[in-house]
Amino acid sequence: MAALTPAGPCGVFVGERQCNKKEAAEYGYGNGRDPLTVITRIAKKVVDPDAN
């Protein structure tokens, strides 16, 4: 499996490749735990407290 995974860091910046699901989970992203999702959910609650 390691032979199929390209070398180099993954991320969202220039020169980085996209992370696969396993790598993203190791970095703490996924299942709504990433900072963008948390901030978005907080903003929705502030704007509309009755929203789910």
Side-chain angles (χ1 to χ4, degrees):
M1 191 69 178
L4 298 175
T5 305
C10 68
V12 296
F13 300 107
V14 174
E16 295 179 328
R17 61 183 173 77
Q18 281 189 319
C19 298
N20 63 35
K21 289 183 180 183
K22 182 181 178 202
E23 289 172 320
E26 288 173 359
Y27 284 114
Y29 293 95
N31 298 323
R33 295 183 306 227
D34 60 284
L36 182 60
T37 301
V38 172
I39 291 169
T40 303
R41 287 181 181 172
I42 291 171
K44 285 181 182 178
K45 290 290 184 184
V46 169
V47 172
D48 185 9
D50 296 328
N52 288 332

